[in-house]
């Protein structure tokens, strides 16, 4: 089965085409700068990248460009879109309405548009445009929505309820939802498999998964199920992130609004785009640029790095307490997979949880080709893993299973 995975953002549409029988990626790419000028970046294993400046006034044109490049005689990998058996969409927020992956129908689109748009206004609109583009150019191909929030549906009420009047939960669905669910699911399942080989009962494991990138979240996964996570009602909560505040005293919000004259919408944009590592470092939201500045002796860059490591360390400790112990910590995503200095700084001081790392293994983790890289020290009772995430494969797998169930 060939499955096309679509991840539509506000100004981009990322895609991957999977051969699910072989679990191979046939092609992947990104239609970026939508609504600005437009560029298509298309990658096929074993071939030079194809980059084309293509006008992309909207998401419909982006989907058309994906169709064109996948079927292109020179750069494509299929003869026609009829070879694609299903399309899977990454959807950030399903609210309380979608707690598992679901087939696209008119009713599903209506609920997503009318009830989920306000929960994730920066994401749901682009998702709907991506779905609409696929319906326009591939109307007979079944489509499946895979939700970032779905993995966290197992959180107990005491973990997801906020201390606001119950009427606001009932009226506005205000509660913790959690995000990056496909990533936390993928890496926790692989960590669980590694622990099972060591004699651990997979129904009793206690794992903290750290998805660390420009957007970051941490999850407590007990017996394979999410019981808590750092992001909340929106992806703004939790850790300090590239340009997002993470958690902060709510009174700061009203204080800045009063003193700066921001509207609520302007404040929301400010907290999402002008804060976080960018604000503390004064340099960048990109950890690679922050590390370069640290190497050059920039104290604010080092402070931003320390704030992030401290945040991660606190969540690991609190989630170990929530689960009654700790069997493994997993690092994944752009920063988690590629930054040995951060991993070492986070784990340093957590020896009381019976975890520690082998510095040499940690430093060289990227050189190992194993899907689960164990960087624990020999005397570490709990394990520390580096596991490259594959959210697209989770989306493709869910899509395959649902479409096969239609037959």
């Amino acid at each position: 089965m060939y499955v096309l995975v679509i991840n539509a953002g506000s100004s981009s549409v990322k895609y991957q085409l999977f051969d699910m029988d072989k679990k191979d990626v046939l092609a992947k790419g990104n239609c970026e700068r939508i609504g600005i000028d437009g560029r298509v970046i298309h990658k096929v294993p074993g071939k030079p990248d194809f980059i084309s400046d293509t006008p992309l006034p909207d998401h419909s044109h982006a989907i058309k460009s994906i169709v064109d490049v996948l079927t292109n005689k020179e750069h494509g990998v299929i003869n026609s879109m009829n070879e694609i058996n299903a399309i899977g969409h990454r959807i950030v927020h399903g609210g309380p309405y979608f707690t598992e992956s679901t087939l696209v129908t008119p009713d599903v689109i209506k609920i997503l548009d009318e009830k989920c748009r306000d929960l994730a206004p920066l994401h749901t609109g682009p998702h709907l445009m991506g779905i609409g583009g696929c319906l326009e150019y591939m109307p007979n191909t079944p489509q499946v929505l895979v939700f970032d929030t779905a993995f966290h549906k197992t959180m107990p009420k005491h973990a997801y309820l906020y201390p606001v009047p119950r009427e606001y939960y009932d009226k506005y669905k205000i509660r913790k939802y959690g995000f990056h669910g496909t990533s936390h699911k993928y890496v926790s399942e692989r960590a669980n498999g590694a622990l099972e080989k060591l004699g651990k009962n997979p129904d009793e494991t206690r794992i903290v998964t750290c998805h660390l990138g420009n957007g970051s979240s941490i999850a407590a996964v007990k017996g394979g199920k999410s019981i808590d996570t750092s992001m909340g009602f929106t992806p703004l909560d939790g850790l300090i992130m590239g340009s997002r505040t993470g958690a902060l005293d709510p009174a700061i919000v009203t204080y800045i609004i009063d003193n700066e004259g921001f509207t609520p919408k302007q404040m929301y944009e400010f907290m999402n785009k002008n804060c976080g590592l960018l604000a503390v470092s004064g340099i960048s939201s990109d950890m690679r640029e922050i590390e370069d500045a640290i190497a050059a002796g920039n104290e604010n860059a080092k402070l931003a790095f320390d704030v992030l490591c401290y945040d991660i360390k606190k969540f690991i400790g609190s989630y170990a307490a929530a689960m009654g112990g700790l069997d493994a910590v997993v690092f994944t995503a752009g920063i988690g997979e590629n930054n040995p200095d951060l991993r070492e700084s986070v784990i340093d001081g957590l020896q009381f949880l019976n975890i520690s790392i082998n510095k040499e293994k940690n430093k060289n983790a990227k050189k190992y080709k194993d899907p689960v890289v164990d960087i624990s020290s020999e005397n570490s009772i709990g394990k520390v893993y580096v596991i490259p995430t594959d959210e697209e494969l989770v989306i493709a797998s869910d899509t395959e299973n649902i479409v096969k169930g239609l037959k």
Side-chain angles (χ1 to χ4, degrees), residues 139-151:
N140 298 318
T141 306
Q143 300 189 49
V144 172
L145 307 184
V146 180
F147 298 89
D148 273 9
T149 47
F151 180 63

Side-chain angles (χ1 to χ4, degrees), residues 184-196:
H184 289 296
K185 176 182 179 181
Y186 180 86
V187 299
S188 63
E189 285 178 352
R190 272 135 195 83
N192 227 358
L195 291 171
E196 186 175 11

Side-chain angles (χ1 to χ4, degrees), residues 93 119 149 152 155-170 172-179 228-239 246-248 250 315 319:
H93 212 315
L119 296 176
T149 47
H152 302 296
M155 285 190 293
K157 276 190 175 182
H158 63 257
Y160 72 66
L161 282 180
Y162 288 118
V164 297
R166 184 58 183 253
E167 64 186 277
Y168 295 141
Y169 169 76
D170 296 331
Y172 301 116
K173 309 305 177 189
I174 293 176
R175 52 156 287 182
K176 176 183 285 191
Y177 290 101
F179 301 89
D228 205 350
T229 189
S230 58
M231 284 180 169
F233 179 62
T234 74
L236 185 59
D237 196 11
L239 301 169
L248 79 170
F315 272 105
Y319 286 165

Side-chain angles (χ1 to χ4, degrees), residues 103-114:
L103 190 72
V104 171
T105 66
D107 286 343
V108 165
I109 292 176
K110 190 173 189 293
I111 294 171
L112 190 65
D113 185 20
E114 295 181 357

